[in-house]
Amino acid sequence: MKVYTLDEIIIQRQSAFPYAKGDLSRLLMHIGVAAKIVSREVNKAGLIDILGETGDVNVQGEEVKKLDVYANDQFIAALKSTGICAGIASEENDDIVILDDEMSLNGKYVVCMDPLDGSSNIDVNVSIGTIFSIYRRVSEPGKPVTKEDFLQPGNKQVAAGYIIYGSSTMLVYTTGLGATSFTLDPSIGEFCLTEEVVKTPEDGKIYSINQGNYFQFPEGVRRYIQYCQETDKATKRPYSLRYIGSLVADFHRNLLKGGIFIYPETDKAPNGKLRLLYECNPIAFIAEQAGGMAVDGNGNRIMDIKPTELHQRVPFYVGSKNMVKKAIEFNKEFSGK
Ligand code: P6P
């Protein structure tokens, strides 16, 4: 059976865009290369001295692990080498990264990314991930990008995806023609096509939420959790709670099996914890392309939210369409939404 690689599928899909000059394709291929480099380091993190703190703290106030810095550097270098990306908004950088070399200044695209999401799991060998989101720049080519290039609503994304560094390394991406998944075959160093059209079940039996915050949740969220815990008359069993604390890993499992992931508003974090630009929007794009749904606590579509800040947080309800709708019903009934 023919094995299709990421590059072959990217080029194949490009033909669906008659005016495409191949820039987006090259951008995606370079992301694939950086992902392979990061995957190699993640998979030997326990073996060589890249664990432990750098002593720095990032804009989130979290300890920065060496692998965070390494991943950020690798993806910035890969994006810069394309000459197509004009700037980057990264979880690891307080402000935008302007790529001001001659080629990049004329780049058509900008990228928002979380280079290594779930980094608190690095040294306990739990799956972590990279999340990326690609937009056409809105500022004039030939000049440095501005913050406005990154504060676009998610419905303007031209592509988005994630890499999950788990028992195997997988890459899932979309350009708006459905979500497609690939698995890295280290023996040939290629991402190989796994599922050409990823579809997520409309219903599921998995709910993912940090119940440690239970008493900080809005009433509607607490009621939805109770609903999930009640024994289902038909199947005689409640839902299963699955929560790894690594967004990419929790989302990827629910995408394939059906489920809902919720990081809601809490007393301490009224806008939740997850970032709109480089966590929620790209994951929302994949979810919607797979037939799922992604909204905030009021049921507003994540991808329609106009960002106002680079590191803006937003309550995040994402996954199987009917489960997300049910959770929002509880919010509307009990949380005065
Ligand atoms: P909590 C990891 O730090 C992360 O940003 C996401 O990957 C994950 O879903 C979330 O935070 C976990 O947060 O508060 O439940 O530990």
Side-chain angles (χ1 to χ4, degrees):
M1 184 181 94
K2 163 100 176 94
V3 172
Y4 288 95
T5 66
L6 173 65
D7 291 4
E8 286 172 320
I9 296 296
I10 288 171
I11 295 300
Q12 199 185 83
R13 294 277 171 85
Q14 179 185 314
S15 57
F17 299 90
Y19 306 107
K21 286 176 25 206
D23 286 355
L24 180 61
S25 296
R26 284 210 308 282
L27 194 50
L28 287 166
M29 287 191 265
H30 276 77
I31 288 174
V33 171
K36 288 187 269 192
I37 294 170
V38 171
S39 174
R40 184 190 59 198
E41 294 309 312
V42 165
N43 285 304
K44 60 185 182 185
L47 304 177
I48 59 178
D49 174 34
I50 53 174
L51 292 180
E53 291 77 42
T54 56
D56 300 333
V57 170
N58 70 15
V59 65
Q60 327 299 333
E62 295 161 345
E63 285 174 353
V64 178
K65 302 276 183 188
K66 288 179 184 173
L67 215 45
D68 273 349
V69 177
Y70 179 84
N72 200 40
D73 294 347
Q74 287 304 319
F75 280 98
I76 289 174
L79 293 168
K80 182 168 185 168
S81 69
T82 63
I84 296 160
C85 175
I88 300 160
S90 169
E91 186 192 24
E92 292 301 331
N93 297 77
D94 301 10
D95 207 341
I96 59 174
V97 178
I98 295 173
L99 301 179
D100 53 10
D101 59 282
E102 187 59 33
M103 280 214 311
S104 302
L105 274 175
N106 288 293
K108 284 191 310 195
Y109 297 103
V110 294
V111 175
C112 303
M113 69 172 182
D114 186 349
L116 209 59
D117 176 75
S119 50
S120 55
N121 293 303
I122 290 177
D123 35 14
V124 291
N125 203 19
V126 166
S127 302
I128 50 185
T130 297
I131 313 171
F132 64 90
S133 173
I134 304 175
Y135 294 85
R136 268 185 212 81
R137 68 184 293 177
V138 294
S139 59
E140 190 185 334
K143 293 185 176 154
V145 289
T146 67
K147 209 165 272 191
E148 283 318 302
D149 287 304
F150 301 90
L151 299 179
Q152 300 184 55
N155 57 40
K156 297 286 189 191
Q157 292 176 97
V158 291
Y162 60 83
I163 297 100
I164 176 169
Y165 309 101
S167 48
S168 63
T169 292
M170 290 192 75
L171 183 148
V172 181
Y173 89 98
T174 182
T175 57
L177 297 177
T180 305
S181 69
F182 300 81
T183 304
L184 181 62
D185 178 344
S187 68
I188 58 172
E190 292 287 0
F191 278 105
C192 301
L193 180 65
T194 305
E195 205 166 352
E196 187 148 11
V197 181
V198 178
K199 280 296 171 200
T200 193
E202 293 211 338
D203 279 299
K205 283 287 190 183
I206 296 172
Y207 71 106
S208 304
I209 189 168
N210 183 342
Q211 288 201 177
N213 297 323
Y214 183 83
F215 291 105
Q216 287 194 54
F217 289 151
E219 175 62 19
V221 174
R222 294 203 295 270
R223 294 281 187 136
Y224 179 68
I225 290 173
Q226 292 158 25
Y227 165 84
C228 293
Q229 292 170 336
E230 286 166 0
T231 302
D232 179 277
K233 305 279 181 295
T235 62
K236 299 280 178 278
R237 62 184 291 275
Y239 289 38
S240 294
L241 171 59
R242 292 283 182 274
Y243 192 77
I244 300 174
S246 182
L247 171 62
V248 173
D250 279 317
F251 174 75
H252 186 72
R253 177 201 55 241
N254 293 0
L255 180 73
L256 301 184
K257 291 178 175 270
I260 184 172
F261 174 94
I262 305 176
Y263 206 107
E265 51 279 46
T266 65
D267 298 344
K268 269 192 310 186
N271 289 315
K273 172 181 182 181
L274 300 180
R275 308 299 175 159
L276 176 58
L277 260 59
Y278 42 75
E279 290 174 320
C280 301
N281 269 329
I283 294 288
F285 197 6
I286 295 283
E288 289 195 1
Q289 287 291 308
M293 193 172 178
V295 296
D296 67 8
N298 299 314
N300 302 312
R301 185 182 180 225
I302 289 291
M303 287 169 61
D304 289 341
I305 296 174
K306 171 71 174 77
T308 52
E309 291 163 39
L310 285 183
H311 302 287
Q312 169 176 347
R313 301 173 195 270
V314 67
F316 196 39
Y317 298 62
V318 63
S320 296
K321 187 178 290 191
N322 295 338
M323 299 181 79
V324 173
K325 286 178 180 171
K326 188 59 146 176
I328 296 305
E329 274 174 32
F330 278 95
N331 270 359
K332 290 192 187 306
E333 184 176 350
F334 295 101
S335 302
K337 297 286 180 185

